[in-house]
Amino acid sequence: TISSHSSTSNAFKDTSGNLLNRDFEALHNWTVSEFEGYTIFMNDDDEIAPLLIPHDFSTFVSITGAEPNFSMGVVYQNRFWVAGDPDHPSRLYYSDLNDPTAGYSANIIDIDPADGSEITALYVFRDRLFVFKGPNKGSIHVIAGKTPSTFTRDTFSTKVGCCGPNAVIEFS
């Protein structure tokens, strides 16, 4: 369910779509991305639904209902890829093509759900999506391909993972 409202006060909704009485500044551990005219705010608070704000600030869009809750996301192959759903911690979701507001519940890839770890970070590097897991059994997985029919997943490492969505750094 995608819901929207134009008020900036109490703009946060829980995962069922109910308004929460919380201030933006009071929350922490934000991850922010931009895609297709939206700034997307994600938080590691399981009660806060992700918030999409169009660049014209006309409405605030909360992703609620059947769509997954997520705490991290990146743009890869013209789709918004997300993870951090507390109900499915090893599940990677991706949006419909060029539309960050739809498609997540139908577009999923499970990343070793039986390993006891959760997806902790997503990072795009050299035309690949790297999926990091931790803390129990660290691992790194690589998503490649350009369309859902060609997306593949390979294990890059089972010896190291990542502690959080802001812990990946590119260096040369």
Side-chain angles (χ1 to χ4, degrees):
T1 302
I2 306 298
S3 59
S4 63
H5 41 90
S6 58
S7 170
T8 58
S9 63
N10 299 327
F12 300 103
K13 293 186 176 185
D14 65 17
T15 55
S16 299
N18 302 311
L19 282 175
L20 293 172
N21 187 18
R22 296 196 185 174
D23 293 327
F24 183 83
E25 294 85 10
L27 299 169
H28 54 85
N29 296 326
W30 286 100
T31 303
V32 180
S33 290
E34 291 191 62
F35 182 54
E36 291 298 317
Y38 287 93
T39 301
I40 304 162
F41 292 87
M42 299 152 285
N43 189 279
D44 64 358
D45 186 330
D46 294 347
E47 294 181 6
I48 302 292
L51 183 66
L52 287 76
I53 303 174
H55 290 165
D56 66 3
F57 291 98
S58 59
T59 60
F60 286 66
V61 180
S62 295
I63 298 180
T64 61
E67 297 293 352
N69 191 10
F70 52 86
S71 61
M72 67 193 87
V74 295
V75 177
Y76 173 68
Q77 298 298 346
N78 297 317
R79 297 171 189 274
F80 195 60
W81 293 71
V82 301
D85 179 359
D87 293 330
H88 302 283
S90 293
R91 186 164 285 173
L92 182 64
Y93 301 87
Y94 57 93
S95 72
D96 289 343
L97 186 66
N98 297 317
D99 184 1
T101 66
Y104 301 103
S105 59
N107 301 318
I108 61 173
I109 300 173
D110 286 318
I111 309 291
D112 288 341
D115 71 359
S117 283
E118 60 191 54
I119 296 173
T120 55
L122 304 173
Y123 194 78
V124 177
F125 180 70
R126 295 189 178 170
D127 205 32
R128 303 279 190 272
L129 172 59
F130 286 78
V131 180
F132 295 81
K133 292 190 75 181
N136 299 327
K137 180 183 175 194
S139 59
I140 304 172
H141 305 267
V142 180
I143 305 294
K146 297 194 180 290
T147 64
S149 63
T150 62
F151 290 147
T152 61
R153 179 186 67 84
D154 292 309
T155 301
F156 182 78
S157 172
T158 57
K159 306 220 182 281
V160 66
C162 185
C163 63
N166 297 319
V168 179
I169 298 173
E170 181 179 332
F171 66 93
S172 44

